[in-house]
Amino acid sequence: MAEHTFLRGPKDWWRQAVVYQIYPRSYADQNGDGIGDLKGITSRVPYLKELGVDAVWLSPFYPSELADGGYDVADYRNIDPRIGTLEEFDVMLETLHANGIRVFVDVVPNHSSDQHEWFQAALKAAPGSPERDRYIFRDGKGENGEIRPSELVSHFGPTAWTRITEPDGTPGQWYMHLFAKEQPDFNWDNQEVRDDFIKTMRFWSDRGVDGYRIDVAHALVKDLKNGHLPERQSYDVSVMKDDGTDDLFDRDEVHEIYASWRQVYNEYDPPRVAVAEAWVHANRRAAYASEKGLGQSFSFDLLGTPWNSKKFHDTIDYNLKASSKTGSSTTWVFSNHDVIRHATRFGLSDEINKNLPKWFRSADRESQINFKQGLERARAATMLILALPGSTYLYQGEELGLHEPLNIPSDQMQDPQWFRSEGSISRDGCRVPMPWTSTGSSFGFGPGGAHLPQPDWFKDVNVEKQDGVKGSTLEMYRDALRIRKDLVCEEKLTWVKHWLNSNVLHFKRPNGWQSITNFGTKPIKLPKGQVQISSQPLVDGKIAPNTTVWLQS
Ligand code: NOJ
Ligand code: CA
């Protein structure tokens, strides 16, 4: 592997970190208004410390109208008053740091909220003005500009164009939004936009933030030159060009922006780190993960990998080889605030997983979940990725083995994807507030209610119920993270072949740490070595189906 000195040594804390994602509005509510807050997070630092995570990543907590759960940011250098204040942020950061936990914040550079002062100024200004140039305003087609400028669809469906009313009350220009209409896209050809994000990076880095998760990192630069407008009917990566010339996504020029951010990150000691959320062709992730760029890029490949040892092997192997070329470390993730919780996904058949919106729309969706199998596989899969070289991103609540809450009535849904896709799928389930206790109006989330309804079964699945209980998912996560801290070593892996059983996935790390997963339906023999932890109890000394065991040889 090429030696990338920048990424090595005492500054490389992030390379194999376990990063725990917090969705602030749904973690812990200190004042009882039903919305999680910074004081709530601070109150849970002892829990996070005991869990043993190296860092937390906070989804957006900025002032927002919540058209997209906070990914519509009205002010990048402030805190939503419903969530807290900058002083409370500093206290939270200090408390996390004092407990050895680093902090990533989420930066959303592709679009702002329509409530952002720049967008409000653009609405009041004239077509062609500097205010409008910070966003992507265009005249409509047709005699009176009544036809939208292009057929571009929004990620949340249907169109990516919304028409405004000009200050004089007449129907006016249109603006582009790849997501909800409340999320106007910035024009990254505008220098003021570029300068403002540098300011934002410095603002949070000066406060002591350790890292950044960059939202839709591949979308910032679009080909808008000479009146060109991108057209797109689908957001599937397969329709995207993979040579840096796609007119909407993953254009080569986007890396100039990240190179300028990298210069800022490197002004700090230790250098600030960043991870790109970039839905691009796998061979294009390297540039985002480069040491001259953001430094790390999410791989979401395992989100779509079925429960099959060969498929897991191939996905993992590909990602490890890819990262060895950049010198960055790989990332592993099964759950986040955008996808159905992985305990539930693993409880659904491969067929259903290929078309989750269809399942989501079906009246009997719960009866299609094998809850036991889902949880067993989720536990085994998580232990597997925790043993791999690279960093692991966990999502709040997965340490309790939570399934996806499916009880939210449509009139209480909040996700714009739900509204704009005519009820195809909603991300609200995985955003339901955390259950901390078995009783109480919001299962310990706070002294009041919860902003999304929690299911009754939270009385049986919560922190209180699992704390100190041997075999619980919470205790499995705590044990695994504790053991991992001692075992984590050089970022290498050797596959151990099991010629007679294709349902086994087995690998060794350079220090003798082994992980073996049984993807099959029959127990398998335990290889030689000392058992460190098993995701399910051994059966007559054998590894049960849907189980991962760590050994030390
Ligand atoms: C990705 C975020 O994870 C998602 O929650 C959000 O809706 C979009 N980006 C738009 O910001
Ligand atoms: Ca609150």
Side-chain angles (χ1 to χ4, degrees), residues 425-440:
I425 198 131
S426 165
R427 299 169 297 175
D428 287 316
C430 61
R431 301 172 181 185
V432 165
M434 269 283 280
W436 296 90
T437 56
S438 306
T439 54

Side-chain angles (χ1 to χ4, degrees), residues 29-37 82:
D29 170 23
Q30 198 261 347
N31 62 357
D33 64 355
I35 298 169
D37 41 49
R82 287 165 290 189

Side-chain angles (χ1 to χ4, degrees), residues 68 71 111 156 179 183 213 215 277 337-338 427 431:
D68 183 18
Y71 284 88
H111 45 265
F156 297 148
F179 294 89
Q183 294 169 292
R213 179 261 188 194
D215 191 66
E277 188 221 16
H337 65 297
D338 287 334
R427 299 169 297 175
R431 301 172 181 185

Side-chain angles (χ1 to χ4, degrees), residues 23-82:
Y23 195 75
R25 285 177 185 80
S26 299
Y27 200 55
D29 170 23
Q30 198 261 347
N31 62 357
D33 64 355
I35 298 169
D37 41 49
L38 299 183
K39 279 188 171 170
I41 297 173
T42 306
S43 74
R44 302 298 171 178
V45 173
Y47 172 79
L48 294 165
K49 186 173 180 172
E50 198 180 344
L51 184 57
V53 297
D54 300 303
V56 292
W57 145 33
L58 305 183
S59 274
F61 43 70
Y62 315 105
S64 169
E65 289 298 297
L66 301 184
D68 183 18
Y71 284 88
D72 46 322
V73 179
D75 179 355
Y76 289 86
R77 299 183 286 274
N78 218 332
I79 311 278
D80 190 322
R82 287 165 290 189

Side-chain angles (χ1 to χ4, degrees), residues 150-154 158-160 178 228-241 245-249:
S150 82
E151 289 310 306
L152 183 65
V153 296
S154 140
T159 172
L178 293 187
H228 176 73
L229 288 176
E231 304 273 348
R232 184 94 19 155
Q233 303 303 312
S234 155
Y235 278 61
D236 203 291
V237 175
S238 63
V239 303
M240 194 185 289
K241 284 200 202 163
T245 67
D246 189 274
D247 57 4
L248 195 54
F249 293 117

Side-chain angles (χ1 to χ4, degrees), residues 139-155:
D139 291 333
K141 295 195 262 191
E143 216 172 305
N144 300 307
E146 71 284 8
I147 302 169
R148 52 180 176 257
S150 82
E151 289 310 306
L152 183 65
V153 296
S154 140
H155 189 77

